[in-house]
Amino acid sequence: MIDNRPKGARPRETAETRRETTARSAVLGRELRNMYRDIAQEPIPPEFRRLLQQLGNGDES
């Protein structure tokens, strides 16, 4: 498809395209929140926990 619009020009936004954009944004936001929730509930690996403890104690060993 050839786009003859000037560089940087955006297509005219209609009420329908705004609704579609809003709907897509809502779905994307919901999916990202679900992914974050799943990741936040995963346990911290023991090696990483030990590293955090060492850093918190100022232990450089």
Side-chain angles (χ1 to χ4, degrees):
M1 182 167 140
I2 298 174
D3 187 354
N4 293 325
R5 286 178 291 160
K7 191 172 187 108
R10 296 173 61 183
R12 190 165 189 197
E13 190 174 279
T14 64
E16 183 178 351
T17 58
R18 281 192 298 273
R19 281 191 301 271
E20 290 172 358
T21 300
T22 301
R24 281 194 302 265
S25 294
V27 170
L28 179 59
R30 195 168 33 254
E31 290 299 316
L32 288 172
R33 283 189 297 277
N34 288 340
M35 287 174 59
Y36 176 79
R37 185 185 61 241
D38 292 345
I39 290 169
Q41 292 175 351
E42 289 183 8
I44 299 172
E47 304 83 22
F48 189 65
R49 188 180 301 272
R50 281 193 292 277
L51 177 61
L52 289 174
Q53 288 172 339
Q54 288 175 0
L55 292 172
N57 294 331
D59 185 3
E60 297 180 16
S61 57

